[in-house]
Amino acid sequence: PVAVTFSVNLSPVITASAPVACFGDSATLYAPAGFTSYTWFPFLQTTDSIRVSPGIYYVQVTDANGCVGFSNDLNIQPSSIAV
């Protein structure tokens, strides 16, 4: 018998539709296509995109083999305003 070892690196990169300019604005976050399931945190919404307000978000993905991966946190905040 031959043993085959492989590693799977599931590190999806979240993209945003646009920067959030002000508090009260929102953006749509997207996870890459090709996974069988998606779970956005902290909402536990299960789509490949989500509409959000300022905050910190990440997504868990699962591929067709049942392997699970997580994105890095994405901090959606408006730009500083100089006064």
Side-chain angles (χ1 to χ4, degrees), residues 15-80:
T15 56
S17 59
V20 174
C22 300
F23 282 101
D25 285 354
S26 61
T28 300
L29 303 182
Y30 300 93
F35 296 100
T36 57
S37 71
Y38 302 83
T39 304
W40 289 92
F41 292 89
F43 298 119
L44 303 180
Q45 193 167 355
T46 56
T47 60
D48 64 351
S49 65
I50 185 171
R51 190 92 176 145
V52 298
S53 298
I56 298 173
Y57 304 94
Y58 68 96
V59 67
Q60 172 188 314
V61 296
T62 306
D63 70 9
N65 297 313
C67 298
V68 175
F70 293 88
S71 68
N72 290 326
D73 290 349
L74 181 63
N75 189 353
I76 302 292
Q77 295 296 330
S79 302
S80 302

